[in-house]
Amino acid sequence: MTFTTRFAPSPTGPLHLGHAYSAIVAYDMAESEGGDFLLRIEDIDQSRSRAHWEDQIYSDLKWLGLTWPQPVMRQSERQQTYNQALDDLWDRGLLYPCSCNRKDIAAAASAPQEGAALLGPDGIIYPGTCHVRWQGTDLSKRARPKDQPLRLDIAKAANLVFGDTNPGGCFQELGLGPLNESGHIVFTPEELRATIGDVVLSRRDMGTSYHLSVVLDDAAQKITRVVRGQDLFEATRIHVVLQALLDLPTPAYLHHRLIRDEAGKRLAKRDDARAIAKYRADGASPLDIRAMVGL
Ligand code: GLU
């Protein structure tokens, strides 16, 4: 199997030092392994994606000295694949429509009997309001609604893919999680229920979600090693469950440290001051950028 890795930016703002670090780490690894480095444009959120940011991504990565094969995969062209997977999960009774908004979720999750709301990879862990509403209804007999968010019944999913096996799910971590997790990472169905909850797999405005598209795209691009920031370590358990449900291979993961500002805060898209384009305009060289991120 050819070593294949990827960099998967969203064209919703300028690439900053954190992106440069992630892309260069993945690129250098592909070079040293004699493998492939692929680029993927994660533009499912059409309300925030912009063509000029996509052009800027190509320009900045080229300037950094990176090359990648054409054509570049763009998520906005893959809705059919996402729909097929959603239909499959829906027909197996693993999804349900959710009509809760953020306020409803925050209120239900922090109701007095619930204690403090717990946070998962997608924010507040869904308290299950709509799950209860649909209990006892065989939704797979109905057509999959296209105009409502759909959530994955994580308990049912975990039961289906892991059954009674203990611990349940696993993946290979070649980097470090936020609590220095490394090596053979295992997790139980119970942990999934308690720390992840029923995540959204199809958003009303997108017709898919990050979690669903990322596993389908990594499989379609035959990615053998996912290189990305530590902030996505927790989400990897969702990805492993989806891979098992959809019969897709689980790549090895390398979660790397995050590049932070002087105050220790991780960089965000709005940190224009640390945009690669800004450093370029100020006369920095690609080697300067490597040095700035400790490479
Ligand atoms: N599109 C995601 C981001 O820009 C990357 C997701 C991933 O690498 O899995 O943060």
Side-chain angles (χ1 to χ4, degrees), residues 6-12 19 22 40-43 75 210 214 218 226-229 231-232 239 253 255 266 269:
R6 47 58 162 194
F7 176 56
S10 303
T12 54
H19 295 108
S22 203
R40 177 167 79 230
I41 299 294
E42 299 217 322
D43 58 350
Q75 292 188 325
Y210 161 65
V214 82
D218 282 338
V226 171
V227 175
R228 61 186 180 192
D231 52 326
L232 289 166
H239 303 168
Y253 287 85
H255 292 93
R266 66 176 262 238
K269 283 269 162 64

Side-chain angles (χ1 to χ4, degrees), residues 124-165:
I124 294 178
I125 295 172
Y126 184 58
T129 319
C130 287
H131 187 260
V132 174
R133 185 152 69 89
W134 291 112
Q135 225 152 29
T137 312
D138 185 0
L139 287 168
S140 64
K141 297 248 175 336
R142 307 184 182 187
R144 175 169 69 84
K146 305 285 190 307
D147 57 347
Q148 272 189 74
L150 301 177
R151 287 187 183 273
L152 176 69
D153 182 335
I154 199 95
K156 194 167 179 182
N159 213 20
L160 194 71
V161 291
F162 305 133
D164 290 334
T165 55

Side-chain angles (χ1 to χ4, degrees), residues 65 87 104 129 196 254 286:
D87 284 340
D104 300 332
T129 319
I196 303 252
L254 189 150

Side-chain angles (χ1 to χ4, degrees), residues 83 120 294:
N83 281 339

Side-chain angles (χ1 to χ4, degrees), residues 219-257:
Q221 291 193 299
K222 297 192 169 48
I223 302 301
T224 59
R225 184 167 312 173
V226 171
V227 175
R228 61 186 180 192
Q230 241 166 31
D231 52 326
L232 289 166
F233 177 82
E234 295 300 335
T236 306
R237 288 175 296 159
I238 307 170
H239 303 168
V240 171
V241 173
L242 288 173
Q243 285 151 357
L245 283 174
L246 298 167
D247 217 3
L248 305 172
T250 295
Y253 287 85
L254 189 150
H255 292 93
H256 57 68
R257 66 184 167 88

